[in-house]
Amino acid sequence: MKKKYFFLLIFLGIYSSLQAQVTIPIYNDVLFYDGYAGLVNDVTPLPSGVIRLRNDLFTKKLTPNVISQIGNTLTLDISISASCDNYDRIGNINLALVPKNATSYVPESVARIELGRIITPFMNKNVPPNIVPYTFSVDNVTKILKDSSLNSQYDFWIEFELFGVPYAANTQIAGCSGRNDVFFGTLNFITNVDTATTNDTFLLPLNFKNYLNNYQVGASDAIGTTVRTINFTLSSAVENATFYFITSNHGSNTGGEEYNRRLHQISFDISIPSLTYTPGESTCEPYRVYNTQSNGIYGASPRTPAQWQSFSNWCPGAKIPIRTLSVGNLSAGNHFFKIAVPTAQFVNQEGYFPISVYLQGESTLLSTEDFNITTIDIYPNPTTNFINVKSSIVVTSVELLDLEGRVLTSQIVNGYDCKYDLSTMAKGIYFLKVNADQNSQIEKIIKN
């Protein structure tokens, strides 16, 4: 009898544990299109609440009902299905803090943090398996989503971003001729049941997918260096502070940094690195099964770990780690977070490192009202004739730069918005530098 009772207790414990886990659907097979093309008006209606901001970017507001279901654990359950892009691409899940009751927003105008980043495999949609899974544990995000102060100021929107292009698949994959759809994406939240809320969460977005390289103006502290210093000021102390950051190489071509293992150095408030690491996995073989298109980096036969480690820190089909640096209690005042990749090489000015960083901690005194988000919106991009600039602070001037940072044209503004004429410029890639008070923003512009 005691044995039966013992097994019953075990069964009830397992059952209770299973019952406590909740799956919340966020996106279900949303279809991404050519990231370089104009916005697609899909003939198939989008699911309720889902907005296509760009061909590579969806967003959806988290309703109070969804937030009420989130406990103190959170897993991002992601799957990418093949359509008509058979190359490795970067995708990510973002959290946007949008002013209350907005029905949509311009992404660059709000605070955003990157929650998880993935690499798609070289997939042929006609060869199984044509779907690849990814999971991220982001328990710290539950404190953000359940913080009463943050909820009083913002709505939380979850973005699903995946940039793809169909041009190779148009000729290499059967059934993809003439098509511009690239991937399907699904995202679920997996959480436990915990209705408690918080009111002391401190959040400071610091860097959202900004490029780091040594050849573009604004992509590093100085041309010729692969170092970025992010300065910030705290008006009050923050307790139990942790930096969350995501870094990965990108840029193939002849001189790209996509596959090279490079030492990364992270510094906080002192020049001596607080953390060093070299991104990359011991082997990419676990992801071979998802790379069903023969134009990938895998080759016909398995490679040893030593062979993989000799060149590649980039495994198509893998997820990029979320790294952390805990710095304890921070005093009010000026601080900096610095990332350096000293041995990076950018042959022919190719390659870059997309960097995302945010700081999270606890404070009963400091709220999001204590940091002001300067918003400078630059759109549309790509463009054919004009670029619109809209800013939350006064813009003094706008400059068009070439790839070497030389000023090609400029315009005096002294206002909150302007229209910049590119109609006479040749097709290609430029940089638009917007100068606003003591702030400036540089964005890569594609002229079609």
Side-chain angles (χ1 to χ4, degrees):
M1 183 66 181
K2 289 182 179 180
K3 185 178 292 187
K4 290 182 180 179
Y5 181 69
F6 175 75
F7 284 115
L8 178 61
L9 289 177
I10 293 177
F11 173 78
L12 290 175
I14 295 173
Y15 179 76
S16 176
S17 176
L18 292 174
Q19 286 293 96
Q21 192 173 77
V22 177
T23 298
I24 306 172
I26 306 297
Y27 294 100
N28 182 32
D29 271 350
V30 289
L31 184 56
F32 295 89
Y33 288 89
D34 180 1
Y36 288 121
L39 186 65
V40 169
N41 292 318
D42 201 334
V43 295
T44 304
L46 292 174
S48 176
V50 175
I51 298 174
R52 189 194 307 276
L53 295 175
R54 301 191 306 254
N55 287 350
D56 67 322
L57 181 62
F58 290 96
T59 192
K60 183 178 182 181
K61 183 190 296 186
L62 297 182
T63 65
N65 178 56
V66 168
I67 292 176
S68 69
Q69 297 178 62
I70 295 173
N72 55 18
T73 65
L74 183 61
T75 296
L76 305 179
D77 181 25
I78 307 164
S79 62
I80 303 297
S81 301
S83 190
C84 287
D85 187 345
N86 57 332
Y87 272 72
D88 52 336
R89 312 293 182 185
I90 287 181
N92 41 284
I93 304 298
N94 313 317
L95 177 67
L97 282 72
V98 180
K100 295 294 290 185
N101 302 318
T103 56
S104 187
Y105 61 95
V106 176
E108 293 76 17
S109 69
V110 301
R112 303 156 78 199
I113 61 175
E114 186 177 5
L115 303 184
R117 183 183 302 175
I118 59 98
I119 310 170
T120 68
F122 292 83
M123 286 191 290
N124 183 333
K125 72 180 184 67
N126 303 310
V127 179
N130 57 6
I131 183 171
V132 56
Y134 312 84
T135 58
F136 292 91
S137 177
V138 291
D139 293 349
N140 66 291
V141 177
T142 65
K143 294 183 178 181
I144 300 171
L145 297 176
K146 295 170 71 67
D147 185 86
S148 56
S149 177
L150 288 170
N151 274 277
S152 70
Q153 299 175 70
Y154 300 102
D155 287 323
F156 297 116
W157 295 62
I158 291 293
E159 297 179 346
F160 199 155
E161 184 173 7
L162 179 55
F163 190 96
V165 292
Y167 313 139
N170 289 158
T171 59
Q172 297 173 358
I173 302 298
C176 284
S177 177
R179 289 172 55 173
N180 67 344
D181 51 307
V182 289
F183 297 104
F184 292 93
T186 294
L187 169 66
N188 295 315
F189 283 177
I190 300 177
T191 184
N192 64 354
V193 177
D194 180 2
T195 59
T197 59
T198 63
N199 59 8
D200 62 351
T201 301
F202 169 73
L203 175 67
L204 181 60
L206 292 172
N207 208 68
F208 179 77
K209 290 181 60 184
N210 288 333
Y211 292 171
L212 173 62
N213 60 49
N214 67 1
Y215 58 88
Q216 291 176 335
V217 176
S220 63
D221 290 354
I223 293 291
T225 67
T226 313
V227 180
R228 168 167 283 152
T229 303
I230 303 169
N231 298 294
F232 60 96
T233 302
L234 300 177
S235 59
S236 299
V238 176
E239 299 177 350
N240 300 319
T242 299
F243 290 100
Y244 295 84
F245 53 100
I246 302 174
T247 66
S248 63
N249 304 25
H250 196 63
S252 51
N253 302 314
T254 303
E257 276 287 304
E258 186 169 2
Y259 301 120
N260 296 314
R261 292 176 181 261
R262 304 294 189 194
L263 178 69
H264 287 50
Q265 300 174 336
I266 305 296
S267 304
F268 170 66
D269 281 358
I270 57 175
S271 58
I272 301 173
S274 305
L275 172 68
T276 60
Y277 62 93
T278 301
E281 302 194 29
S282 60
T283 174
C284 293
E285 286 303 321
Y287 312 103
R288 177 181 290 274
V289 63
Y290 302 113
N291 285 263
T292 56
Q293 173 64 25
S294 59
N295 63 346
I297 67 172
Y298 280 80
S301 58
R303 291 175 172 155
T304 66
Q307 288 173 321
W308 282 113
Q309 292 168 37
S310 68
F311 82 100
S312 183
N313 77 336
W314 173 277
C315 295
K319 63 182 183 181
I320 302 298
I322 304 168
R323 301 183 187 275
T324 61
L325 177 63
S326 296
V327 292
N329 298 334
L330 300 184
S331 61
N334 298 324
H335 301 274
F336 70 80
F337 176 96
K338 180 186 293 185
I339 180 168
V341 191
T343 61
Q345 301 176 18
F346 303 96
V347 180
N348 300 324
Q349 297 190 341
E350 296 172 353
Y352 55 86
F353 297 85
I355 310 296
S356 287
V357 187
Y358 67 93
L359 178 67
Q360 185 175 344
E362 301 169 2
S363 176
T364 58
L365 299 175
L366 188 63
S367 73
T368 54
E369 294 176 341
D370 293 293
F371 66 86
N372 296 317
I373 301 168
T374 298
T375 62
I376 301 175
D377 303 332
I378 300 172
Y379 65 94
N381 188 18
T383 185
T384 54
N385 292 309
F386 294 94
I387 286 287
N388 295 302
V389 177
K390 290 187 180 295
S391 174
S392 62
I393 58 177
V394 173
V395 175
T396 55
S397 64
V398 179
E399 299 171 313
L400 188 69
L401 314 176
D402 65 14
L403 293 179
E404 295 182 358
R406 295 173 297 200
V407 178
L408 302 177
T409 61
S410 62
Q411 178 178 325
I412 301 298
V413 179
N414 289 328
Y416 291 95
D417 57 79
C418 74
K419 180 175 285 189
Y420 201 86
D421 188 358
L422 296 178
S423 59
T424 61
M425 304 303 298
K427 294 181 179 180
I429 298 175
Y430 301 90
F431 293 100
L432 195 73
K433 182 178 181 182
V434 180
N435 300 304
D437 290 342
Q438 297 182 2
N439 298 275
S440 65
Q441 177 171 317
I442 298 176
E443 184 163 327
K444 181 170 70 175
I445 300 296
I446 299 174
K447 167 69 188 302
N448 291 331

